[in-house]
Amino acid sequence: MTTIPIHPAGKPAYNLSRQAREAEIVLDHITDDFDGNPAAMQYFYDLFRRVYIQGEALAHEGKLIGTTCIQAPDELIYAMGGTPVRLCNGSYHYDQIGADFMPAKSCSLVKATLGMLHADNPIPRIGKPDLIVNPTTCDQKKKASAMIEDMGYAVYDLEMPNVKDSEEARLYWQRSVRQFAQKLRQVTGRKLTKKNLKAAMARTSRAQAAFRTLHNFRKASPALMLGKDVFLVTNAFFFDDIERWIAAVEKLNAELAQRQADGYQAAQRRAPRILFTGSPPVFPNLKLPLLIEEAGGVVVADETCSANRMLYDMTAVDEWLLHDMVDGLADKYLKPCTCPIFTRNDDRRRRLLELAASFGVDGVVYQAFAGCQVYEMEQKSVAAALNAKGIAMLYIETDYSPDDHGQLTTRIEAFLESIKTRKRKRA
Amino acid sequence: MTPSKSACITPLQAVRDAVNQVDFNRFRFWFQAIGFVLFVYGGYLAIDLGSRLPFFSCGYNQEGRGGVCYLLPLQHQLGRSWPTLFSAASLAILTGFLVFAAWFIVLNKGWCGFICPLGTLQDWITALRRRLGIRYARYSQGQFAQLTRIKYILLALTILIPLGIGGGWFSRDMSPPFCLICPARMILPIFTGDFSQFTIDFSSKTAMFMTALGMAVTGLFLIGSFVKKRFFCFFCPMSALHYLISRPALLKLKKDGDKCTRCGDCYRVCDMEIKEIADDIKTTDIMTDDCTLCLKCVASCPEPGALKATFVGIPIFESTEAGFIKRMTREHAP
Ligand code: SF4
Ligand code: SF4
Ligand code: SF4
């Protein structure tokens, strides 16, 4: 890996262009090198072009609350008039800057996030967060807290248990979430009420309903759209205005409904249907999903925290009183979560098997960022569970650098080829 | 919009979709209200469904009752003197039990979730608390594990004490022991204007003790169900009896663990705090001994087919994504 020296402070132009070029190459590839992009995707293409390439500043309402993980309840932030923005970054350029903070073999995503926060004119241009919420998930994110604080940000460690099955963990997490609400109250100067929380929950649940509809359309075979676009859609959720995002997804859903009625095919009938799992693809690092789809596969579902895991699970409330709503939210963020930082991964394996069955999946691609120990460690047990059901899995350890492009292409092509052969034999 | 089945929808599917998307809480509220009227005031309409009913349609509500809770005749039958008890005349105990079981088997514990007037009353008290904006209490898991046994002890006493009375060990003033301490005996007659059960019987020490205990339990019932959802059901000996004979029941609560994400949404809405409903992914017959088969869990599960109620094996109400979203959207409305 070649390390580019960190530019001295006060030279944003250089910074911006490196970052922007990286984004531009990926975005151009997404838009120009594939056929049949849905017309409704134009909203997202434009959004990424404006934000990541032209460096357009993002507006926000109230206090800006940065989050480094999907476990920070957005609903609480919205309820108190703030705007959540997910800081997890996918840029190789920032990964290199962030390398200064972390040991050589650490997760690209954590490094890139640190690198972005450290940069002078970070893209996306969200403005300086009033608070950064860092749930205490994996070791690298945990240790990142102090580093982010040293950069001059206000950081809040949202304490999260690393066991999720026990009742103790559940109660501990509920308390933790309540404390977070207190903290937000200090930061925003607003009070959490039944009314504002309910409105916030209604809002996120509309986003979730829109996502689920999109998700369900991907069950169609042959596929109605490619997975690279879906990752772009869910990545936009990190920073886009939620109402605009919902409207854009609903428009996309309407187009997919039309496509389905017309019998449209976005991929060949025989195209291997891939379930994507593991370390999250975050724009511009859509390397693996793009390689899969270039090679003739189609990503029909995922189990990652930059897409499905972020938007799928919905909250139920029995009594619309504040305590029940907050506890219900806490449960929703903890209980169904399939993050590998927890002691057991039974739920993750079951979830993958369920997705594989309901989406007619032919094979699973498992991405682990080099240095992300928890994903690396779960690899074997996940593969075993899938193989036991006759589903092939390709495990890929990679990072944000483009260096392994050639090697990955070969491996993915071979994997897809073996799936096709097996399909042919079965047919 | 469920894309996978937009192609052609059969009439049966259309009915199923409509049922699965029903405004469940409202449906259940009215169902329970009708059940309450039927069994608390049905007597005025000459409704009499016998005295082997598997829920608390209290026999002390002389005028209004539309049938009688089985525990009352059961205790009387068991309290006969032993020579009679062990004679052929006691065949009636057996046939009585069979009639009770036949009633029970139709709805299983659904009698609790949808019909039992005492259960409904607790839900109304809960609704009152909710309106007042007061939060509900929960047990810790340790408390739950201990308290859940009490109903079996009460059931054992409900059977053993009458036998002891028949054997001459206990005073007849203790009979029928459970009814004397059952809150339904005091509360349900009130609905027909009969306050006569609100007295302490000073005729003997035993009578005084039992009736005073009954008063205390009734007080506890009112306070308990104000702070705790379905407070009494947790201790109900009828519920224990139900569970012992629930295997052949026609109405069942089924779970498909493969489809469950263990999100806990069902556990959150469960009045009985049954953790297994969310966490157990192996058991398919998921009704536990505390369950009232209220089916709130089914209505609150977002995963298609993870939970369902079946009648003689046929799914009648099933968790669906569309149903979940529809119900939640309704609740979200300001
Ligand atoms: S458990 Fe509750 S609903 Fe069922 S019979 Fe007992 S009091 Fe009635
Ligand atoms: S609500 Fe459904 S998916 Fe969630 S834990 Fe209960 S049964 Fe499982
Ligand atoms: S498990 Fe389901 S049916 Fe049983 S009491 Fe709980 S919510 Fe009701």
Side-chain angles (χ1 to χ4, degrees), chain A residues 105-107 140 279 340 368-377 395:
Chain A
K105 214 180 171 228
S106 5
C107 166
Q140 303 186 40
S279 302
F369 290 148
C372 173
Q373 286 209 327
V374 280
Y375 272 122
E376 289 167 354
M377 286 186 285
Y395 173 65

Side-chain angles (χ1 to χ4, degrees), chain B residues 32 53-57 69 71 109-120 122 151 178 182-184 221 230-240 242 272 289-292:
Chain B
Q32 286 181 294
L53 298 180
F55 53 89
F56 287 2
S57 179
C69 165
L71 293 186
K109 284 178 168 238
W111 293 109
C112 297
F114 288 84
I115 301 287
C116 176
L118 201 66
T120 302
Q122 292 171 79
K151 60 179 163 303
F178 180 71
C182 177
F221 169 88
R230 288 274 176 146
F231 170 77
F232 179 79
C233 294
F234 208 61
F235 308 110
C236 177
M238 180 69 94
S239 159
H242 282 170
M272 302 303 293
D289 59 350
D290 292 308
C291 179
T292 62

Side-chain angles (χ1 to χ4, degrees), chain A residues 181-427:
Chain A
Q182 293 285 330
K183 176 73 187 178
L184 282 172
R185 186 180 172 174
Q186 281 170 19
V187 172
T188 60
R190 294 241 211 140
K191 223 179 130 184
L192 188 66
T193 65
K194 232 169 24 185
K195 214 170 136 209
N196 62 25
L197 184 55
K198 198 178 192 181
M201 289 174 74
R203 203 188 231 192
T204 39
S205 90
R206 272 193 298 123
Q208 288 174 319
F211 170 77
R212 280 214 182 205
T213 306
L214 174 63
H215 177 69
N216 286 334
F217 274 121
R218 297 170 82 192
K219 287 182 181 151
S221 175
L224 298 171
M225 74 182 289
L226 293 180
K228 48 129 189 152
D229 285 331
V230 179
F231 276 120
L232 216 53
V233 169
T234 56
N235 274 196
F237 188 77
F238 283 27
F239 58 86
D240 197 11
D241 173 77
I242 186 166
E243 295 294 346
R244 263 203 322 258
W245 185 90
I246 296 170
V249 175
E250 281 169 353
K251 209 169 137 201
L252 178 59
N253 288 337
E255 186 175 348
L256 294 178
Q258 189 55 50
R259 281 188 167 191
Q260 189 165 49
D262 300 343
Y264 184 90
Q265 301 190 4
Q268 283 177 352
R269 186 166 288 277
R270 282 278 162 84
R273 297 171 65 83
I274 301 298
L275 166 60
F276 194 97
T277 184
S279 302
V282 177
F283 183 84
N285 178 50
L286 298 185
K287 183 161 81 176
L288 274 194
L290 283 165
L291 282 177
I292 295 167
E293 298 193 330
E294 272 164 50
V298 50
V299 178
V300 291
D302 78 278
E303 187 277 314
T304 69
C305 61
S306 60
N308 197 335
R309 208 188 288 156
M310 168 173 69
L311 282 156
Y312 185 78
D313 295 300
M314 301 192 282
T315 317
V317 173
D318 188 34
E319 299 189 354
W320 292 88
L321 301 174
L322 211 44
H323 71 97
D324 210 29
M325 290 154 81
V326 175
D327 287 355
L329 270 176
D331 278 3
K332 179 243 132 169
Y333 279 92
L334 181 73
K335 297 306 280 184
C337 182
T338 47
C339 178
I341 61 115
F342 295 115
T343 45
R344 307 280 160 160
N345 75 348
D346 311 41
D347 285 344
R348 177 156 180 243
R349 281 178 292 176
R350 290 189 316 105
R351 179 86 180 118
L352 285 168
L353 291 174
E354 211 288 311
L355 286 168
S358 52
F359 283 76
V361 161
D362 300 310
V364 175
V365 172
Y366 188 128
Q367 158 168 274
F369 290 148
C372 173
Q373 286 209 327
V374 280
Y375 272 122
E376 289 167 354
M377 286 186 285
E378 280 199 357
Q379 181 259 124
K380 277 224 170 76
S381 64
V382 169
L386 291 167
N387 293 344
K389 294 268 177 221
I391 305 160
M393 186 187 106
L394 176 67
Y395 173 65
I396 292 179
E397 207 182 295
T398 181
D399 53 24
Y400 286 2
S401 92
D403 299 350
D404 55 2
H405 198 280
Q407 179 227 340
L408 291 182
T409 312
T410 322
R411 288 184 63 196
I412 286 172
E413 279 172 356
F415 180 64
L416 297 183
E417 206 42 58
S418 75
I419 289 177
K420 279 192 209 150
T421 320
R422 200 161 355 132
K423 267 185 129 175
R424 234 175 281 133
K425 269 191 203 142
R426 229 183 276 151

Side-chain angles (χ1 to χ4, degrees), chain A residues 212 312-314 316 335-336 350, chain B residues 254-257 259-269 275-281 286 297-307 319 324:
Chain A
R212 280 214 182 205
Y312 185 78
D313 295 300
M314 301 192 282
K335 297 306 280 184
R350 290 189 316 105
Chain B
K254 297 275 187 182
K255 178 162 178 183
D256 181 346
K259 295 184 175 149
C260 167
T261 61
R262 300 215 291 174
C263 66
D265 282 356
C266 50
Y267 175 47
R268 171 132 305 276
V269 302
K275 205 161 190 297
E276 289 87 346
I277 190 71
D279 285 0
D280 186 343
I281 43 159
I286 197 73
C297 51
V298 181
S300 304
C301 170
E303 298 312 314
L307 292 176
S319 60
F324 177 94

